[in-house]
């Protein structure tokens, strides 16, 4: 195959890769033709594949042939390895805009070990890059670094309108190597169960490099954390979640596309919540709507939400209450299989043994309707309890009624 001259190893628009990565991870063994049916064809597939093979460790990827067709799949088990290999696709994200100026300013302040004025910094950039960068651009970068808590400013007396800038003290400097190890171990545990995982991996990388630089030591990798119901794939939604959280922090509305809708949706984000056992994250808006994060794309801040009521109540979690009933007349093997499935698939729910032939499973979830397909798979053995979400109860009843009508039973 001829070399694709447009191919680059870095990812500028991460949105392009999310569905590609999700399909391989969740469904596995997808071929070039399979992706063509999903709208990812020819050279686009080759570009995506080469980018992934460049940034993800080979031990997490397998390629194999079935006949003459080559398939690619991810090979990772959260019970065998704590490291979420998909985070490496973020490490290859392109540096854009004024990124190099950010790096240059931080290096300049670090090497000078003293305060510098905006004029000093601007002139240094011009001298080094031979670039006529404006004072206003440098000012915006400095203000952004201040807002992120990386640098601090102070007024220059007697010129009260002039400011000088310096790096903030490094909080890691007060920690011993043993304390850094403890912090690293804690970060490795919480990273994969937090609503955002990528920042945790960046932090762990920082700790590794800092410890090796200061103490000439390598941090010990943690023992395997076994995360029940941890979905490695959710990490590819981190950029969407981050943009939503930033909009909430700045009190801004957002515009985004949802599922396969052509027109953008405008909403005022209220909060983000997760159903960890079910592996889904949701956006709740101030007008009471709920959206699955994995179906959201191209999130952008658009305007202030100052005119929107900020005291809106949080959307209440919905109750799942499922009653499983067995009788002596039921097929014993079938009942055994159902109970085994419950022990495995409903372990995250609270189970109450009503009697030998009846169990009640309860849980609070963000969106009860999403459980309808799973509940229907238990057939006649399950019924909604009195406290179950009314929307779910009605959906199950109407689905059953429609099915019976289709078979001519009613």
């Amino acid at each position: 195959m001829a070399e694709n001259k447009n191919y680059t190893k870095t990812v500028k628009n991460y949105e392009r890769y999310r569905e590609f990565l999700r399909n391989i991870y969740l469904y596995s063994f997808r071929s070039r033709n399979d992706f063509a049916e999903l709208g990812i064809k020819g050279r686009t597939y080759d570009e995506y594949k080469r980018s992934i093979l460049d940034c993800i460790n080979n031990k997490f990827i397998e390629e194999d042939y079935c006949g003459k067709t080559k398939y690619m799949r991810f090979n990772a088990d959260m019970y065998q390895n704590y490291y979420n290999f998909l985070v490496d696709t973020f490490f290859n994200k392109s540096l854009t805009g004024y990124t190099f100026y950010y790096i240059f300013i931080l290096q300049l302040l670090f090497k000078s070990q003293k305060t510098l004025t905006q004029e000093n910094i601007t002139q240094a950039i011009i001298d080094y890059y031979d670039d006529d960068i404006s004072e206003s651009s440098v000012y915006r970068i400095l203000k952004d670094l201040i807002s992120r808590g990386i640098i601090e400013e102070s007024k220059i007396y007697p010129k009260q309108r002039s400011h000088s800038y310096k790096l903030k003290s490094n909080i890691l400097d007060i920690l011993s190597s043993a304390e850094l190890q403890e912090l690293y171990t804690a970060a490795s545990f919480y990273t994969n169960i937090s609503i955002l995982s990528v920042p945790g991996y960046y932090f762990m990388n920082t700790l590794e490099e800092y410890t090796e630089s200061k103490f000439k030591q390598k941090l010990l990798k943690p023992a395997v954390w076994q995360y029940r119901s941890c979905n490695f794939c959710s990490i590819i939604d981190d950029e969407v979640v981050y943009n939503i959280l930033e909009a909430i922090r700045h009190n801004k509305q957002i515009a985004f596309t949802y599922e396969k809708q052509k027109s953008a949706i405008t909403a005022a984000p209220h909060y983000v919540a997760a159903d960890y056992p079910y592996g889904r994250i949701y956006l709740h808006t101030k007008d009471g709507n709920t959206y699955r994060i994995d179906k959201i794309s191209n999130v952008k801040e658009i305007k202030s939400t100052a005119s929107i009521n900020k005291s809106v109540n949080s959307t209440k979690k919905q109750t799942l209450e499922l009653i499983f009933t067995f009788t002596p007349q039921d097929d014993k093997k079938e009942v055994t299989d159902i109970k085994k499935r419950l022990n495995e698939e409903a372990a995250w729910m609270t189970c109450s043994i009503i009697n030998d032939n009846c169990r009640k499973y309860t849980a609070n979830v963000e969106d009860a309707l999403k459980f309808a397909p799973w509940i229907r798979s238990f057939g006649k053995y399950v019924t909604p309890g009195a406290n179950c979400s009314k929307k779910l109860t009605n959906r199950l009843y109407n689905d059953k009624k429609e099915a019976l009508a289709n078979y001519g039973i009613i």
Side-chain angles (χ1 to χ4, degrees):
M1 184 180 71
E3 185 73 15
N4 182 357
K5 294 182 179 179
N6 296 321
Y7 168 72
T8 58
K9 292 188 176 184
T10 54
V11 178
K12 183 176 181 180
N13 181 11
Y14 192 80
E15 186 63 49
R16 296 178 63 204
Y17 292 82
R18 286 175 66 209
E19 286 309 305
F20 185 77
L21 291 166
R22 196 188 313 277
N23 268 280
I24 300 177
Y25 178 86
L26 291 179
Y27 304 112
S28 196
F29 250 64
R30 285 289 172 93
S31 68
R32 183 188 179 97
N33 291 336
D34 292 331
F35 277 102
E37 294 176 1
L38 298 173
I40 300 174
K41 301 179 181 179
R43 296 173 75 178
T44 302
Y45 169 82
D46 292 331
E47 179 188 344
Y48 286 6
K49 177 181 173 182
R50 290 179 66 179
S51 294
I52 290 168
L53 292 174
D54 272 338
C55 63
I56 294 181
N57 191 304
N58 289 339
K59 70 180 180 180
F60 297 126
I61 297 177
E62 286 186 358
E63 289 189 284
D64 203 356
Y65 282 92
C66 182
K68 295 182 179 181
T69 304
K70 182 186 284 189
Y71 293 85
M72 180 171 68
R73 72 183 183 94
F74 291 138
N75 179 30
D77 185 349
M78 60 192 171
Y79 291 106
Q80 301 297 324
N81 185 76
Y82 83 94
Y83 186 82
N84 189 337
F85 62 97
L86 289 173
V87 74
D88 291 344
T89 61
F90 280 95
F91 293 159
N92 275 35
K93 201 170 188 307
S94 300
L95 302 178
T96 59
Y98 287 117
T99 304
F100 288 104
Y101 295 130
Y102 278 77
I103 296 172
F104 180 82
I105 290 172
L106 293 176
Q107 290 177 335
L108 183 67
L109 292 173
F110 177 76
K111 289 179 180 178
S112 67
Q113 294 296 315
K114 61 181 180 180
T115 58
L116 296 175
T117 65
Q118 181 178 326
E119 292 77 12
N120 297 147
I121 294 170
T122 304
Q123 190 59 52
I125 292 175
I126 293 173
D127 292 342
Y128 186 83
Y129 284 100
D130 193 21
D131 185 9
D132 190 21
I133 189 171
S134 66
E135 288 277 353
S136 59
S137 296
V138 175
Y139 178 75
R140 285 194 296 271
I141 294 172
L142 292 171
K143 285 297 181 183
D144 187 33
L145 290 171
I146 291 170
S147 69
R148 295 173 184 271
I150 299 174
I151 68 173
E152 58 186 3
E153 66 178 344
S154 57
K155 290 183 178 180
I156 301 175
Y157 183 82
K159 296 181 180 180
Q160 292 296 319
R161 293 184 179 179
S162 297
H163 294 80
S164 62
Y165 303 89
K166 67 177 182 178
L167 287 175
K168 278 195 169 183
S169 57
N170 190 342
I171 60 173
L172 298 180
D173 287 341
I174 64 175
L175 301 179
S176 66
S177 59
E179 290 170 328
L180 287 167
Q181 177 65 62
E182 291 176 2
L183 184 58
Y184 181 81
T185 304
S188 71
F189 174 76
Y190 287 107
T191 289
N192 284 338
I193 59 174
S194 66
I195 207 161
L196 286 174
S197 295
V198 174
Y201 280 101
Y202 280 129
F203 180 55
M204 290 167 65
N205 281 357
T206 299
L207 290 176
E208 288 176 358
E209 294 176 6
Y210 178 84
T211 304
E212 189 165 357
S213 173
K214 182 177 180 179
F215 297 102
K216 311 302 179 190
Q217 294 179 9
K218 288 185 177 295
L219 291 171
L220 298 176
K221 301 292 184 181
V224 176
W225 301 111
Q226 293 194 0
Y227 302 103
R228 185 180 183 89
S229 303
C230 175
N231 184 358
F232 276 176
C233 193
S234 64
I235 200 170
I236 64 178
D237 299 323
D238 264 29
E239 189 169 55
V240 171
V241 175
Y242 176 78
N243 289 337
I244 292 172
L245 294 178
E246 283 292 283
I248 294 172
R249 186 164 73 95
H250 296 142
N251 197 29
K252 297 282 188 178
Q253 283 185 287
I254 57 175
F256 59 89
T257 54
Y258 189 68
E259 292 187 303
K260 297 180 180 179
Q261 296 182 10
K262 293 183 179 179
S263 58
I265 294 174
T266 300
H270 186 37
Y271 69 97
V272 173
D275 274 338
Y276 283 108
Y278 200 48
R280 284 182 180 160
I281 307 174
Y282 297 88
L283 162 66
H284 293 281
T285 64
K286 292 187 177 181
D287 58 5
N289 290 322
T290 301
Y291 300 93
R292 273 176 53 180
I293 294 290
D294 61 312
K295 295 183 179 294
I296 292 177
S297 59
N298 302 311
V299 179
K300 296 180 180 178
E301 289 185 7
I302 52 174
K303 57 184 177 181
S304 172
T305 61
S307 60
I308 299 176
N309 182 14
K310 298 179 184 178
S311 62
V312 63
N313 292 326
S314 297
T315 305
K316 291 184 178 180
K317 281 183 174 285
Q318 299 171 17
T319 301
L320 273 184
E321 185 176 81
L322 307 175
I323 310 298
F324 288 83
T325 306
F326 310 100
T327 68
Q329 290 74 37
D330 292 329
D331 182 273
K332 291 184 178 179
K333 182 180 184 304
E334 194 171 42
V335 170
T336 299
D337 291 341
I338 293 291
K339 290 181 177 180
K340 181 180 179 181
R341 280 189 60 198
L342 288 172
N343 288 336
E344 295 175 352
E345 300 173 20
W348 56 276
M349 304 177 73
T350 300
C351 176
S352 302
I353 306 296
I354 299 175
N355 56 52
D356 291 342
N357 295 314
C358 189
R359 302 180 182 184
K360 179 171 70 174
Y361 285 83
T362 58
N364 292 322
V365 297
E366 297 295 330
D367 187 357
L369 287 178
K370 300 301 179 184
F371 289 83
W374 177 68
I375 296 169
R376 285 197 296 267
S377 70
F378 291 102
K380 68 176 183 177
Y381 297 101
V382 61
T383 55
N387 297 316
C388 193
S389 162
K390 297 305 178 186
K391 287 184 178 180
L392 175 60
T393 300
N394 293 336
R395 167 68 66 83
L396 293 172
Y397 174 78
N398 291 332
D399 286 351
K400 182 178 180 181
K401 186 176 179 180
E402 181 181 349
L404 292 174
N406 288 337
Y407 282 100
I409 298 175
I410 59 173

